[in-house]
Amino acid sequence: MGQQHLSLEELVIRPLHSGDIYASFQFRTLWETDFMKGNKVSHYRLFPKSLGQVISKFSVRELHISFTQGYWRTMQWGQPFLPAPPGAELWVWFQDTVTDVDGTWKELTNVLSGIFCASLNFIDSTNTVQPSASFKPLGIGNVTDHRFLRYATLPREIVCTENLTPWKKLLPCGSKAGLAVLMKSEKLFHSSFHSEAVHIRPVCGDVECKSVSWELRQTLDVVFDLHTSGQGKREWSLFKMFARTLTDACPLASSSKIYIDITDNPELSPATPLLSQAVVLGDRRTFSVYDLTDPSTFGTMRTFNVQIKWKNTEGDMLRPLLHAERYVAGYGLQTGEIHTLMYNQHPYRSFPVLLLDSVPWYLRLYVHTLTVTSKGKDNKPSYIHYQPSKDRIRPHLLEMLVQLPPNSVTEVTVQFERALLKWTEYTPDPNHGFYVGSSVVSSLVPSIVAMDTNNTRDRPLFSSFFPTKEESSYFIRVYTEPLLVNLPTPDFSMPYNVICLTCTVVAVGYGSLYNLLTRNFQIEEPNPGLAKRIANVIRRMRGVPLL
Amino acid sequence: MLANLVLSFNCTYLAVLLSFIRFNKHVGNFFSSQHTNNWAVLVCTSRFWFNYRHVANTLSVYRSVKRLGIPDSHIVLMLADDMACNHRNPKPATVFSHKNMELNVYGDDVEVDYRGYEVTVENFLRVLTGRLPPSTPRSKRLLSDDRSNILIYLTGHGGNGFLKFQDSEEISNVELADAFEQMWQKRRYNELLFIIDTCQGASMYERFYSPNLMALASSQVGEDSLSHQPDLAIGVHLMDRYTFYLLEFLEDIHPASKTNMNDLFKVCPKSQCVSTPGHRTDLFLRDPGSVLITDFFGSVRKVELTTDAINLTEPITPVEDQEKEPYSYVDQLPVSEIIHQKPKQKDWHPPDGFILGLWTLIILVFFRTYGVKHLKHIF
């Protein structure tokens, strides 16, 4: 019985209210096999061998890695289909057969740094945490013992063509055919937001969910700016965004579609009769669908390019219900305060959010100053998990479940003190500052429209990432900005060292000379023996002159 | 007639012998370098936007080396800072070497093995000597053997006897010479070409003492290597002079060209470079005139034709599983479960030094106050 391999590719284009345009590529490869029971696999077809070997060697149950450049502006752009924090983020669920999770995690990060040409080998115990309630597995399974979960971010990590190149090589068609032809780095990195990710997880293999398939999702989200790439006009086309047009679908893909969001009525040319409605992020949106496996899409010129035009309408955008911000307050290089703000913009419903904060050890948090206030009043979290840091060994971990009241701002503040690092621990550019990773806010947000809870049905990829369990709410994750904090830095520059040395020499030289010239010298009796000293003590007590 | 036959036989024998000797000479030229694989280690040691030209230098050598045949798996590329996707770069994902943005040396297919803070003296020496931690991936290793020709290119800011790494540490010429000696003793190279483009670069190869090393530098001791030209749109100098003319020279080389090292020594004379490039060949066993450029910059591919059939193994069929209860997705935010979550059982650790010390102190004070006679009741 052959193992089924399936590959789907999809591009979703959504015009945004601010005039920017959001394009999200998703490539999904499904493989009907089971890594989990310790089965050995030898024949790889569409699933890339490098990742398959990583999964079986390190007994990985789920792997999520993302590389992002830029920060997602929720208030201007709405919610993304796949959230990601700036920099690199890696979280992994291991299978319960792993005995040494930390050792396996370290080896896994090194192997991934070779595959993706990124400095993931800087992930070690000082920036890895083990969340106790966030980041539940996104795939199927019953075990949720958080001992097997590891989460780490590298906010400083840069994304460039050298990360895109191996990412493209993992696709079944590479960058030669299908939607991946559009991915040229000069256009993709000239954008406000660029995020590429790889997600591997086990999913239901059939409708009854009795067999397991392994799913590899590769996603690339990019937001092109109206002014830098769009020349100020709300008129976009595939050629304007990517400098390429499509010529064919990937022959290995069973489905290759382009969805364009027409809920706000933009003009499309060429128009298409195919429409589809989908409930995504709690809202029912209408999409125009272009099917690339149908040769008539390409027309007589054997090329496909679509133009999108829309007008600047005011105030029609659905305000995002959950939004989070973070900043550092205070002055000086000794203390400071971290403020995290979470906005609930629903008019009458409140919902719970889980806040995960991972702060490096060199910002010593004073947890007794932790306050959570909503609308001016104290808001006591229903669950707090705090793991204090150990210098140079592990970071702070703070997880709280907070209920956000409707139409309010909840502020979480905590004071910290900055540590002085050892001089070898500073980076080569210490005056740039040190980064603190983004906070993660996970929440079940009430939905306006009923969500589809049947997770095994065929749905467009962009709506099937987070599994939905109930109809009235959907799960989202919001990331805050990373923080850039200055630590007290010694002056590594040459003048400082020269001043120290000169001052030492002057002090020693001049000091000795001064002493020689100004001190008075007296002749002193040599030290008397022990018996004489005791005798002197007795004579002093008697009041008799000393020997 | 027999004499005729013998004569003709002798003639043919002689002809065959002569042609064999001639053939041998050609064959001799082909295999005279005795290397079977090529490696390249290309390092840019400078950080910060104004050192754009050092990254451009390294990338142009990377581009030439890839073009002439060395694959990415045999190149270790170390860039200390990211210029292409730097926020100051007006054209993201590009690094130009010629002004007016004529040539993008960054390209579309680049694999950087060590980047950012990973480019340190320690990592560089570990790559050269092969002493890397066991979990290092293959793309970050220099897996050369005794039949490898290695090209090492260094660029950055340097001085008399040292090269600065990332503005915080430096490598001296003695350390470099010792690293090469370790490579020689471990038989990690057949021949090595060392090119350095920094100020006073010739000081870096003064201390070499291992055999089969050839070195080139962009300037002599006491001279500075100068940069070539600024681009007004990007705002920085794009390349250093020596590497600019080296790139121009290498653009004319193709994988089958017969140009030799003496031509490479003539690249960038004082009129173009302002500094005097130097070279060192006394440790090299072969005559530089017989060393081809492609011996170091290109790649030898040995192709073996075989008519034997190879049996492929059968794909492993997975064992069918008996139990078939349906799986389900996990609840992403189970609020009630989280609130009533029991704190996880902490692993028991033996008490550490502080607690032990404190208890010892308490017990000692107890026994000092009340007398040692209680001890014998306990033990």
Side-chain angles (χ1 to χ4, degrees):
Chain A
M1 159 158 145
Q3 289 168 337
Q4 208 206 10
H5 303 253
L6 200 65
S7 165
L8 301 100
E9 52 179 30
E10 180 185 284
L11 165 62
V12 182
I13 300 182
R14 192 209 278 182
L16 299 170
H17 259 262
S18 50
D20 309 320
I21 193 154
Y22 170 36
S24 170
F25 291 85
Q26 282 207 37
F27 298 88
R28 188 188 195 211
T29 306
L30 274 173
W31 189 15
E32 226 170 71
T33 182
D34 196 356
F35 285 109
M36 288 218 264
K37 304 283 186 300
N39 285 333
K40 286 216 176 300
V41 179
S42 63
H43 183 57
Y44 291 89
R45 226 185 114 229
L46 295 179
F47 201 93
K49 184 174 175 191
S50 50
L51 290 180
Q53 287 182 325
V54 161
I55 299 173
S56 44
K57 180 165 185 223
F58 297 110
S59 305
V60 165
R61 187 172 142 198
E62 261 187 48
L63 187 136
H64 300 270
I65 186 168
S66 71
F67 298 97
T68 312
Q69 177 204 67
Y71 174 65
W72 182 269
R73 306 205 170 101
T74 315
M75 294 306 279
Q76 289 162 288
W77 300 339
Q79 294 283 359
F81 295 124
L82 287 139
E89 185 201 41
L90 172 66
W91 57 281
V92 175
W93 273 92
F94 289 97
Q95 292 172 23
D96 44 3
T97 53
V98 175
T99 44
D100 177 18
V101 183
D102 288 316
T104 319
W105 169 253
K106 187 86 189 108
E107 284 178 28
L108 177 65
T109 51
N110 276 313
V111 167
L112 289 174
S113 85
I115 295 177
F116 292 104
C117 287
S119 321
L120 297 174
N121 46 318
F122 284 135
I123 293 178
D124 56 9
S125 64
T126 58
N127 47 25
T128 308
V129 290
Q130 187 185 321
S132 64
S134 311
F135 291 103
K136 295 257 182 254
L138 289 171
I140 57 179
N142 298 323
V143 177
T144 55
D145 186 354
H146 279 258
R147 272 191 303 135
F148 297 104
L149 169 64
R150 292 288 183 272
Y151 173 83
T153 62
L154 291 172
R156 187 75 201 264
E157 194 64 19
I158 25 180
V159 192
C160 210
T161 314
E162 66 249 22
N163 305 111
L164 187 62
T165 309
W167 187 95
K168 282 197 282 190
K169 286 185 183 161
L170 296 172
L171 296 171
C173 279
S175 54
K176 306 274 186 299
L179 290 171
V181 159
L182 296 174
M183 296 184 186
K184 288 299 166 198
S185 48
E186 283 117 15
K187 284 295 204 171
L188 282 181
F189 289 103
H190 198 44
S191 55
S192 309
F193 179 81
H194 172 102
S195 169
E196 48 193 66
V198 172
H199 301 277
I200 304 176
R201 57 177 180 163
V203 293
C204 289
D206 51 14
V207 181
E208 295 102 41
C209 212
K210 290 222 170 119
S211 70
V212 178
S213 276
W214 278 78
E215 178 195 75
L216 164 69
R217 253 188 220 238
Q218 286 180 252
T219 65
L220 195 140
D221 280 8
V222 60
V223 175
F224 292 104
D225 188 56
L226 172 68
H227 298 287
T228 54
S229 313
Q231 289 127 30
K233 291 198 279 249
R234 284 159 202 261
E235 225 178 85
W236 293 90
S237 70
L238 281 184
F239 188 76
K240 195 173 179 188
M241 290 196 275
F242 303 107
R244 292 283 183 295
T245 55
L246 289 166
T247 47
D248 57 358
C250 175
L252 296 169
S254 59
S255 144
S256 177
K257 293 200 167 88
I258 297 186
Y259 291 85
I260 303 187
D261 191 331
I262 54 171
T263 321
D264 298 321
N265 295 319
E267 282 170 38
L268 291 182
S269 80
T272 176
L274 285 171
L275 292 175
S276 117
Q277 288 213 334
V279 178
V280 59
L281 296 171
D283 194 14
R284 184 174 295 279
R285 315 282 293 180
T286 319
F287 295 89
S288 271
V289 183
Y290 295 88
D291 189 353
L292 297 177
T293 48
D294 179 6
S296 65
T297 321
F298 294 100
T300 46
M301 302 293 285
R302 316 288 290 150
T303 172
F304 175 72
N305 184 15
V306 59
Q307 272 169 331
I308 310 166
K309 260 195 269 215
W310 71 102
K311 305 276 186 308
N312 185 4
T313 49
E314 296 291 335
D316 264 339
M317 187 177 85
L318 179 72
R319 289 182 78 202
L321 293 173
L322 177 64
H323 173 53
E325 277 174 2
R326 194 154 97 142
Y327 58 88
V328 173
Y331 59 90
L333 283 176
Q334 190 172 4
T335 52
E337 220 172 85
I338 298 182
H339 291 245
T340 310
L341 281 84
M342 294 183 282
Y343 296 83
N344 175 356
Q345 275 154 354
H346 200 282
Y348 51 86
R349 292 279 297 274
S350 74
F351 48 84
V353 298
L354 192 58
L355 172 68
L356 172 76
D357 245 322
S358 162
V359 178
W361 65 266
Y362 40 80
L363 296 186
R364 304 212 168 97
L365 295 181
Y366 293 138
V367 182
H368 71 279
T369 58
L370 176 69
T371 58
V372 183
T373 45
S374 307
K375 289 182 175 171
K377 289 192 300 228
D378 217 12
N379 183 352
K380 192 165 177 318
S382 22
Y383 170 79
I384 302 187
H385 173 73
Y386 176 65
Q387 193 185 47
S389 68
K390 263 194 183 172
D391 272 10
R392 299 177 180 89
I393 295 178
R394 62 166 195 242
H396 297 275
L397 173 66
L398 179 63
E399 264 186 284
M400 296 195 293
L401 183 68
V402 184
Q403 189 83 3
L404 300 184
N407 212 12
S408 68
V409 181
T410 306
E411 189 169 336
V412 178
T413 60
V414 61
Q415 288 180 7
F416 64 87
E417 182 193 60
R418 299 169 213 234
L420 188 64
L421 301 178
K422 294 182 183 168
W423 74 281
T424 49
E425 288 173 347
Y426 286 99
T427 54
D429 52 351
N431 290 304
H432 178 90
F434 289 78
Y435 282 87
V436 178
S438 314
S439 300
V440 188
V441 177
S442 322
S443 162
L444 273 175
V445 175
S447 149
I448 304 169
V449 185
M451 303 290 294
D452 187 357
T453 53
N454 187 349
N455 290 313
T456 54
R457 212 175 54 155
D458 266 335
R459 285 193 294 193
L461 295 177
F462 57 88
S463 60
S464 63
F465 188 62
F466 290 114
T468 38
K469 286 266 181 172
E470 43 175 359
E471 291 187 344
S472 57
S473 59
Y474 62 98
F475 177 77
I476 55 166
R477 212 171 261 148
V478 176
Y479 291 91
T480 62
E481 304 96 324
L483 301 174
L484 187 58
V485 173
N486 267 324
L487 289 185
T489 312
D491 190 356
F492 292 106
S493 56
M494 185 221 41
Y496 166 75
N497 293 323
V498 167
I499 290 170
C500 282
L501 196 63
T502 319
C503 288
T504 314
V505 167
V506 165
V508 170
Y510 177 69
S512 319
L513 204 63
Y514 179 81
N515 280 336
L516 281 172
L517 292 174
T518 55
R519 263 211 204 139
N520 226 354
F521 288 96
Q522 287 173 330
I523 300 176
E524 202 190 72
E525 296 285 340
N527 221 357
L530 183 64
K532 255 210 187 142
R533 269 194 285 178
I534 296 174
N536 270 343
V537 166
I538 299 169
R539 289 172 84 104
R540 209 180 298 144
M541 286 195 311
R542 283 170 57 199
V544 164
L546 303 173
L547 282 172
Chain B
M1 172 144 139
L2 202 62
N4 268 352
L5 210 62
V6 168
L7 199 64
S8 61
F9 182 70
N10 273 346
C11 278
T12 38
Y13 179 69
L14 211 58
V16 166
L17 192 63
L18 279 172
S19 65
F20 187 68
I21 292 169
R22 221 181 302 128
F23 175 69
N24 235 357
K25 221 180 4 185
H26 284 306
V27 166
N29 270 342
F30 188 68
F31 287 114
S32 62
S33 68
Q34 293 179 327
H35 71 279
T36 58
N37 55 75
N38 283 79
W39 287 81
V41 178
L42 310 173
V43 185
C44 160
T45 60
S46 303
R47 174 166 276 275
F48 306 122
W49 174 246
F50 50 82
N51 289 321
Y52 181 102
R53 58 188 190 277
H54 297 140
V55 173
N57 288 349
T58 319
L59 286 171
S60 39
V61 177
Y62 173 75
R63 175 204 144 78
S64 311
V65 148
K66 261 181 92 156
R67 195 176 51 84
L68 291 171
I70 304 187
D72 267 314
S73 53
H74 282 226
I75 302 178
V76 177
L77 178 61
M78 303 170 84
L79 297 179
D81 201 359
D82 170 54
M83 299 302 166
C85 289
N86 195 313
H87 296 295
R88 287 175 151 134
N89 193 347
K91 305 268 276 165
T94 58
V95 173
F96 294 108
S97 62
H98 287 61
K99 70 169 184 214
N100 300 328
M101 303 185 196
E102 282 165 23
L103 181 59
N104 175 16
V105 289
Y106 194 58
D108 219 9
D109 184 22
V110 58
E111 282 183 24
V112 182
D113 301 305
Y114 286 85
R115 59 183 201 162
Y117 298 130
E118 291 178 289
V119 179
T120 57
V121 174
E122 187 191 336
N123 281 346
F124 175 59
L125 292 176
R126 281 184 186 278
V127 164
L128 286 184
T129 54
R131 290 221 215 94
L132 289 158
S135 52
T136 317
R138 282 181 75 97
S139 57
K140 287 185 167 179
R141 288 180 190 257
L142 180 65
L143 297 164
S144 56
D145 53 25
D146 62 323
R147 290 275 138 251
S148 307
N149 272 12
I150 309 183
L151 165 72
I152 297 188
Y153 178 81
L154 291 175
T155 182
H157 288 289
N160 190 355
F162 68 92
L163 169 64
K164 193 168 71 155
F165 266 70
Q166 291 211 47
D167 218 17
S168 67
E169 50 182 6
E170 52 204 37
I171 185 172
S172 66
N173 49 6
V174 177
E175 283 174 359
L176 197 56
D178 286 340
F180 287 153
E181 176 65 14
Q182 275 195 49
M183 286 174 79
W184 174 251
Q185 290 191 4
K186 286 166 78 162
R187 296 290 179 265
R188 281 171 67 78
Y189 69 90
N190 173 37
E191 285 169 350
L192 202 145
L193 175 64
F194 175 76
I195 305 182
I196 183 160
D197 187 352
T198 63
C199 303
Q200 307 192 51
S203 62
M204 290 304 283
Y205 60 65
E206 272 171 3
R207 299 293 194 110
F208 288 173
Y209 55 94
S210 320
N212 273 345
L213 291 178
M214 194 188 308
L216 278 113
S218 59
S219 57
Q220 301 291 337
V221 176
E223 284 180 347
D224 285 336
S225 288
L226 300 173
S227 59
H228 189 242
Q229 52 184 337
D231 180 298
L232 297 173
I234 300 178
V236 283
H237 284 260
L238 294 181
M239 282 274 268
D240 277 332
R241 282 176 190 254
Y242 182 74
T243 313
F244 181 80
Y245 290 108
L246 180 69
L247 175 66
E248 267 189 13
F249 172 78
L250 288 173
E251 288 285 302
D252 289 332
I253 309 279
H254 54 89
S257 73
K258 294 266 166 268
T259 343
N260 58 37
M261 282 295 164
N262 283 332
D263 301 321
L264 192 61
F265 297 152
K266 295 198 201 95
V267 161
C268 209
K270 195 169 163 95
S271 53
Q272 283 176 328
C273 252
V274 186
S275 57
T276 323
H279 54 90
R280 183 178 174 178
T281 53
D282 56 318
L283 294 164
F284 206 74
L285 293 175
R286 290 194 287 149
D287 169 40
S290 69
V291 179
L292 301 175
I293 301 281
T294 49
D295 278 350
F296 289 102
F297 286 88
S299 182
V300 175
R301 307 279 181 98
K302 286 257 161 50
V303 177
E304 243 184 62
L305 296 171
T306 174
T307 49
D308 301 331
I310 301 172
N311 283 330
L312 294 172
T313 54
E314 287 293 319
I316 302 171
T317 45
V319 177
E320 279 296 318
D321 206 8
Q322 278 81 29
E323 47 136 349
K324 285 280 183 197
E325 46 176 79
Y327 298 97
S328 62
Y329 286 96
V330 178
D331 203 357
Q332 289 299 303
L333 195 70
V335 177
S336 53
E337 209 185 286
I338 292 173
I339 293 175
H340 298 113
Q341 196 164 320
K342 276 201 178 27
K344 60 177 198 275
Q345 297 296 332
K346 278 207 135 86
D347 302 323
W348 184 83
H349 291 293
D352 67 346
F354 176 72
I355 301 292
L356 278 176
L358 192 67
W359 278 106
T360 319
L361 187 68
I362 293 170
I363 293 172
L364 273 177
V365 166
F366 172 77
F367 285 115
R368 282 297 301 261
T369 356
Y370 295 109
V372 187
K373 59 181 185 289
H374 292 282
L375 255 182
K376 66 172 187 296
H377 294 287
I378 297 172
F379 291 108

